[in-house]
Amino acid sequence: RRHYAVYPGIPMNRIVSGLYGLHLRYPYVRQAIWSLAGLVVAAGVVVVVSVSSKVSTLPVGWEKSFFISPAGVAARNIQVASRGRFIAAVFEGADKKAHRIYAALSFDGGKSFFDPIPIADVAMGMDHYPYIAVSGSGQVAVAWQNILPEDAKSRVFYSLSTDMGATWSSPSRVYLPSDTELLPMVFYDNRDILHLFYHGQRLGAFTLFHAESPDGKTFDEPDVLAKVGDLRGAFFPAVHLEGNFIFVVWQGKGDFRGVLADDLYFIRSENYGGSWSSARRITLSPANDAAPSIAFYRDTIYCVYQNNDDKSWAIKMLRGGDYGKTWTEKPLDVSSTNANCYSPQVMPGRSDELVIVW
């Protein structure tokens, strides 16, 4: 048996008839009725979209961001290093009065940062690309490039902290036997020895150099990592330190196929950079291979990079087994879109996972 509840009121057909009559007789009522109908339809669409387009993330969503740069300072070229829950970030910041290198530190895994500390004043109107490294004992090193007014060339400078960023040494120039130096990168090995990698110009060509600082104050004579030879130059290395091994994949420009193109090359050291293997070309594509990033897991090097064999830039991956002695010839396709993909980064995850972002 069905039950009904009846409420007295105006019948619906009379309401509709009245509105239809007003719609025909008065233009302004007609406009109001159509506006009301539009609002009702729009509200329905919003409700449907809100219900049907729920966003999900795996494993978790991104946390709410917060500022670590000083108020009123335009920050750029940030780079981060960590040891456990200690995170050190470096960036350059500029306002109307000065351009500086800043360091910001976190001791709780990035949940909060202390106020950034200015490390050095640098030339205005140019990028300085600072790089930061953290040792196992809490030492922090920052390196950057800067233009010297006396010779108008780019040189490498660095500053050190031996107390986890509480105090910093005065900026010092690294005196290197190059016409100019660019894009420094610093790393600590498991002995807390500081390593410097940088681009240097010699005889009109850019190549890659490595120098070591046993005492953290002075650097030894640098080694030439990339013997340019028939290449036009060597650029943008990806560096990974693993125990006594140092792995480097870099981008070299040459015309081996009758067309000027970029390929990737690999070198390694088994004795903390005391000596280096011969360079090995690990990509053989007909177009360009660029922007390498490497990670190490167990005995394998994973190298992701950009490739434009199909005109647009795609992300691909090669594997170097046995600490880089053997490399796969055919790369694995990582991205699967026709849109251009740039700046890949690779890192080991948890439970045999490999994480790649671009």
Side-chain angles (χ1 to χ4, degrees):
R1 179 181 297 180
R2 295 180 180 176
H3 298 269
Y4 295 90
V6 180
Y7 296 91
I10 301 174
M12 181 58 65
N13 60 345
R14 291 182 59 187
I15 295 176
V16 173
S17 297
L19 290 174
Y20 183 69
L22 293 173
H23 172 271
L24 295 176
R25 294 173 59 187
Y26 302 105
Y28 62 88
V29 174
R30 190 181 313 154
Q31 182 178 359
I33 291 175
W34 280 111
S35 298
L36 179 61
L39 289 174
V40 172
V41 172
V45 171
V46 169
V47 170
V48 171
V49 171
S50 298
V51 172
S52 62
S53 60
K54 182 180 179 181
V55 176
S56 61
T57 57
L58 182 71
V60 294
W62 289 102
E63 298 175 353
K64 186 177 179 180
S65 62
F66 57 92
F67 288 103
I68 66 171
S69 56
V73 171
R76 63 177 184 264
N77 296 329
I78 188 170
Q79 199 268 331
V80 178
S82 65
R83 291 277 182 167
R85 297 181 62 80
F86 177 53
I87 298 176
V90 66
F91 59 92
E92 50 186 295
D95 55 24
K96 295 181 179 179
K97 298 180 180 179
H99 194 147
R100 296 186 175 95
I101 304 296
Y102 290 88
L105 307 171
S106 171
F107 292 87
D108 56 9
K111 292 182 179 180
S112 62
F113 280 81
F114 286 95
D115 291 338
I117 301 171
I119 296 176
D121 287 299
V122 290
M124 300 186 71
M126 63 170 290
D127 289 306
H128 300 274
Y129 301 107
Y131 207 94
I132 197 166
V134 178
S135 76
S137 60
Q139 300 178 75
V140 187
V142 173
W144 64 92
Q145 66 186 47
N146 195 18
I147 293 288
L148 289 178
E150 54 265 30
D151 64 356
K153 293 182 179 180
S154 178
R155 302 301 182 187
V156 171
F157 291 78
Y158 72 104
S159 179
L160 302 175
S161 173
T162 58
D163 50 16
M164 301 185 78
T167 59
W168 292 84
S169 64
S170 298
S172 300
R173 176 185 168 185
V174 185
Y175 287 89
L176 300 166
S178 309
D179 295 332
T180 187
E181 298 97 31
L182 296 166
L183 303 176
M185 304 167 68
V186 284
F187 303 87
Y188 282 102
D189 63 27
N190 59 0
R191 306 167 301 167
D192 286 351
I193 300 297
L194 183 62
H195 296 260
L196 169 68
F197 296 83
Y198 67 97
H199 294 69
Q201 188 180 34
R202 276 186 178 178
L203 303 176
F206 276 101
T207 188
L208 304 175
F209 295 85
H210 164 259
E212 184 179 303
S213 178
D215 58 3
K217 297 178 181 179
T218 58
F219 285 86
D220 296 338
E221 183 76 11
D223 302 316
V224 180
L225 295 185
K227 306 296 192 297
V228 174
D230 296 330
L231 294 176
R232 303 290 182 89
F235 311 95
F236 311 124
V239 181
H240 181 83
L241 280 69
E242 188 72 30
N244 57 297
F245 284 89
I246 303 178
F247 307 116
V248 182
V249 174
W250 47 274
Q251 177 180 332
K253 185 176 290 293
D255 55 359
F256 298 107
R257 296 176 290 276
V259 178
L260 196 62
D262 289 345
D263 292 295
L264 299 185
Y265 294 79
F266 169 74
I267 56 174
R268 75 173 193 171
S269 172
E270 300 180 14
N271 54 4
Y272 296 101
S275 59
W276 295 88
S277 67
S278 300
R280 174 179 178 178
R281 183 153 55 112
I282 59 175
T283 56
L284 301 170
S285 68
N288 293 282
D289 303 300
S293 171
I294 59 175
F296 182 83
Y297 184 64
R298 294 182 177 171
D299 66 344
T300 302
I301 303 166
Y302 298 88
C303 176
V304 297
Y305 60 96
Q306 295 173 199
N307 171 271
N308 66 346
D309 283 353
D310 299 321
K311 306 304 180 183
S312 60
W313 286 104
I315 306 303
K316 296 181 180 292
M317 183 177 73
L318 288 172
R319 293 182 293 269
D322 194 12
Y323 292 79
K325 289 184 178 180
T326 61
W327 285 86
T328 53
E329 294 185 6
K330 184 179 180 180
L332 175 71
D333 293 328
V334 176
S335 62
S336 57
T337 175
N338 291 328
N340 283 317
C341 301
Y342 302 106
S343 304
Q345 294 291 320
V346 60
M347 65 212 77
R350 295 175 293 182
S351 302
D352 293 336
E353 291 179 338
L354 195 67
V355 180
I356 304 172
V357 296
W358 64 91

